[in-house]
Amino acid sequence: MRAARDWGFVLGLAAATALGLVLRGWHLHALGGFDWDEAATVFIARRPLGDLLAYLRGAPFEHPPLYYVLAHAWLALGGNNVAAGPVDEARLRLLSVLLGAAAVPLLGAVGTLLSGRAVGLAAAVLLALAPAHVFYSRDARMYPLLVLLCLAATLALLHALHTGRAGWWAAWALASLAAMATHYFALFPLVGQAVYLAWARRRCGGPRLALLGVSLAAGALVAWGALSPGLRHSLGALRLAPLPPSEALASLGTTCSWLLRGPLWEDPTATDNLAGALAAGALGLAALGLAWRRPPGTAALLALGLLPAALLCGLVLLGREVPARFLLPTLPFGLLALAVGGAAMGRRAGSLVAVTALAAVAALWLPPYYGQYVRGDYAQAVRLVEARAQPGEAIVFNGPWQTLLYEHYRARPLPAQILTGAVPLVPAQVAAALADVARSYRGIWLLEADLGRADPHGYVRTWLARHAYRGPTWTFRQVVVTYYLLGDPPLLRYPLERAAPGAELLELAIEPAGLRPGGTPRIALTWRVGADFSPGLKASVRLYAGDGGYWWSADPWLMEGWLAERAPQAGDILYTRLAATLPEFAMDGPYYVQVLLYESTERPESGEGWVAWTAPPVWVALSLPPRGSLAGGREAGGP
């Protein structure tokens, strides 16, 4: 009978591991291109080992080397040349899939040691289903390895406490050091393990062993810091500023939501909120069971799971962001608490209820994730630029890290300009760099990604809106490409002085040489701010042919080229610069420009937003001057 139970447990744990492997590897090839963090993994891991370690020693705000060394070895499997050739996204992510699936049986073993086989098996199933762990186990980063090593250290510690064997103590020390060599935040789970050790062996030298373990990890961290100017620079650059309680709670709420119901890539829907409510309710019942029954393992869960999570969340109060992935090592202990608390409330039925609740959460999260979520389309954005870029044009990035993505996905070299190495960027430095670019090239392709980190206020776009002529924009997942024409050729000018609520249109100017099928004429509008100016004012600019159909349109904000820090005031001058693109099959004139001023609230619930038409449209008939002359221009009615 006991042998049958043993085999049943082993088979159940194997089935949970297989489930975890399937969920993490499902349609891995369809996940899309690398994001920036994953491109950084490739950038570092494909270096020779000596160069890899030297780079990590000197790079600020980087992680310890163990994961990158492992990724280097993984890429080299099968005799592949790590330093050359493209890196397949699914192949590199498969390493994380395997590491994430390997954590499932480890949590089962930890749960078995603490509370028995039924709880251990339930915890393993919970981790196999956990949306947040599934998500990060498909990411070519170090977080699945960090979770695996923290669980391995916990398992070794529990065995060491139970058996007293030196081998298990050594395994605990090695796993803890390996976790520290993967991510600096492994120090928080290690503190929890040390506290549990001190409590469990408080009469048998536990405090001394705990202090020795933490000292060993801290000594390794200090030694690495002594050899790593990058780490010393990172620590010296930290500027902690306490957050207001409301902001801290909002940040923690978002992080906990990611861990409980799974990461979201859009605003939460009703289904997402239902999943969160199910997860929170199950966790609340488990906490009630732990507090009421106090089953075996409660102290371990508090020290190994709750304490590290509390310490990490405490960083938010100091003004340091704690993303959900940094809390991922505490997630398995939260799931174990769910299994233990459920069992305490209703024995096996309670664990079954916990598994059923999380299965429902996963069932709500997984189908949209597999069916809709795709990583960035940086490769497609680069292909578009390479296909359309002409001699004398360059690529510009609004953040220094984008060079990693560009270098990874480019197929042919194009002139590329990094505007600044500072994150967030310094406007004065960017303005000087853009002025140099404008003197050197006739057109640029702006690639924007992760705007909130490098260019939070869109300064690059604002400077270009003032000094360049904006052409078409292409929107891809996680990246936006915009084409700008540079230079100031002679323009045909049409004085207008047409007043409207909020602003007065003073002049329209157009490049006559581009008014032909396949041409790209520059169009400039000059506005004077009125006393009743609104930041929501936009201009609808359309280029019509004589048959009444329009061939090009744009809807720029009037303020998109306003560089001053203060808001526009009455009498200030605003500039709108656009580059129209006429197709090859467009009519050969005559052409008319229509300008319509309107106000948009950009309310998300109504798409473009509520629109108030503020003035009748202005029609300008474009009368091309004789060759060599730029005099002329007249205002007329519509076509």
Side-chain angles (χ1 to χ4, degrees):
M1 182 66 70
R2 181 175 180 179
R5 286 198 299 268
D6 290 345
W7 275 108
F9 173 72
V10 170
L11 290 176
L13 203 57
T17 304
L19 175 63
L21 184 61
V22 169
L23 291 178
R24 284 151 182 79
W26 185 261
H27 279 231
L28 191 64
H29 64 280
L31 189 54
F34 285 138
D35 62 15
W36 177 78
D37 283 338
E38 294 176 305
T41 295
V42 176
F43 175 74
I44 297 170
R46 72 190 315 172
R47 295 166 176 262
L49 281 178
D51 186 27
L52 184 155
L53 294 173
Y55 174 81
L56 290 175
R57 286 196 310 107
F61 303 107
E62 254 304 341
H63 300 292
L66 182 59
Y67 170 75
Y68 295 116
V69 172
L70 183 61
H72 176 91
W74 177 260
L75 292 176
L77 286 177
N80 294 311
N81 187 350
V82 179
V87 174
D88 179 66
E89 290 94 345
R91 182 166 181 264
L92 182 57
R93 287 169 179 157
L94 181 60
L95 173 62
S96 294
V97 168
L98 298 175
L99 294 171
V104 172
L106 276 185
L107 181 60
V110 169
T112 299
L113 285 177
L114 288 177
S115 299
R117 291 178 176 176
V119 167
L121 186 57
V125 174
L126 289 172
L127 185 60
L129 293 170
H133 196 259
V134 170
F135 181 89
Y136 288 109
S137 295
R138 293 160 61 85
D139 194 33
R141 295 294 285 169
M142 68 284 302
Y143 303 104
L145 177 61
L146 178 62
V147 172
L148 181 68
L149 290 172
C150 288
L151 284 173
T154 302
L155 183 63
L157 176 61
L158 294 176
H159 275 296
L161 288 169
H162 181 68
T163 66
R165 293 178 180 175
W168 284 115
W169 289 112
W172 174 55
L174 289 175
S176 298
L177 287 175
M180 286 294 300
T182 301
H183 199 286
Y184 298 120
F185 276 26
L187 183 62
F188 294 95
L190 180 58
V191 168
Q193 293 171 21
V195 168
Y196 178 66
L197 171 59
W199 177 86
R201 294 191 58 175
R202 52 191 177 276
R203 294 182 180 178
C204 305
R208 291 193 299 272
L209 285 171
L211 182 61
L212 177 62
V214 174
S215 298
L216 186 63
L221 183 61
V222 170
W224 174 252
L227 297 172
S228 305
L231 177 58
R232 296 197 301 272
H233 177 275
S234 302
L235 294 175
L238 289 178
R239 298 291 184 268
L240 299 179
L243 293 177
S246 58
E247 292 185 22
L249 288 175
S251 177
L252 288 176
T254 301
T255 298
C256 292
S257 295
W258 271 59
L259 286 176
L260 286 176
R261 66 185 174 189
L264 304 175
W265 44 96
E266 294 178 349
D267 292 335
T269 63
T271 301
D272 298 324
N273 292 329
L274 174 61
L278 281 173
L283 196 60
L285 288 175
L288 179 61
L290 291 173
W292 182 22
R293 301 283 188 180
R294 295 184 182 178
T298 300
L301 291 174
L302 292 175
L304 300 174
L306 180 61
L307 177 60
L311 292 174
L312 280 165
C313 291
L315 292 179
V316 177
L317 299 177
L318 298 176
R320 186 67 180 168
E321 181 185 4
V322 180
R325 60 186 181 273
F326 289 0
L327 281 167
L328 202 63
T330 66
L331 176 64
F333 297 98
L335 299 175
L336 184 55
L338 192 61
V340 173
M345 290 291 289
R347 298 186 181 275
R348 293 185 179 181
S351 294
L352 182 60
V353 169
V355 171
T356 303
L358 192 67
V361 172
L364 291 171
W365 182 83
L366 287 170
Y369 168 69
Y370 290 130
Q372 301 171 15
Y373 179 76
V374 181
R375 292 285 172 86
D377 284 338
Y378 210 92
Q380 289 86 336
V382 172
R383 295 288 89 78
L384 179 140
V385 175
E386 290 177 335
R388 292 174 175 262
Q390 301 297 318
E393 297 179 349
I395 296 175
V396 168
F397 310 104
N398 71 326
W401 62 84
Q402 290 191 51
T403 54
L404 298 182
L405 286 164
Y406 174 69
E407 290 295 331
H408 181 77
Y409 284 115
R410 71 176 178 85
R412 65 183 179 92
L414 289 172
Q417 300 290 325
I418 303 175
L419 299 178
T420 176
V423 177
L425 54 78
V426 179
Q429 296 176 0
V430 173
L434 284 170
D436 289 339
V437 171
R439 286 190 291 266
S440 303
Y441 298 98
R442 61 174 295 273
I444 60 173
W445 297 82
L446 175 64
L447 272 66
E448 300 175 280
D450 290 339
L451 291 175
R453 292 181 57 188
D455 191 7
H457 303 295
Y459 181 82
V460 174
R461 281 183 283 109
T462 303
W463 192 96
L464 289 171
R466 175 63 185 88
H467 297 285
Y469 295 86
R470 177 167 62 83
T473 295
W474 296 266
T475 300
F476 301 89
R477 280 182 290 264
Q478 299 184 11
V479 59
V480 176
V481 179
T482 307
Y483 176 69
Y484 291 88
L485 268 176
L486 299 170
D488 285 301
L491 302 180
L492 182 61
R493 302 184 180 279
Y494 296 81
L496 297 172
E497 297 185 359
R498 292 288 297 272
E504 179 183 6
L505 179 57
L506 299 178
E507 181 185 76
L508 180 145
I510 193 163
E511 181 185 9
L515 279 172
R516 62 182 187 278
T520 306
R522 295 167 173 84
I523 299 176
L525 303 171
T526 305
W527 309 83
R528 181 186 289 124
V529 173
D532 54 348
F533 178 79
S534 166
L537 286 176
K538 298 181 83 172
S540 171
V541 185
R542 282 168 166 71
L543 190 59
Y544 283 82
D547 62 351
Y550 72 87
W551 293 98
W552 171 86
S553 66
D555 284 74
W557 296 95
L558 259 63
M559 280 187 61
E560 69 176 20
W562 180 253
L563 287 167
E565 294 183 0
R566 64 171 177 83
Q569 299 174 359
D572 286 335
I573 302 299
L574 302 178
Y575 300 92
T576 300
R577 291 186 162 197
L578 304 167
T581 301
L582 293 171
E584 294 286 350
F585 52 84
M587 293 188 61
D588 195 14
Y591 288 103
Y592 300 80
V593 175
Q594 182 202 64
V595 182
L596 180 63
L597 192 66
Y598 67 96
E599 186 170 9
S600 170
T601 64
E602 290 287 331
R603 291 186 300 185
E605 65 270 19
S606 59
E608 158 66 17
W610 174 79
V611 173
W613 304 101
T614 60
V618 176
W619 288 92
V620 179
L622 304 178
S623 54
L624 299 187
R627 184 181 297 274
S629 170
L630 288 177
R634 63 186 178 86
E635 183 179 359

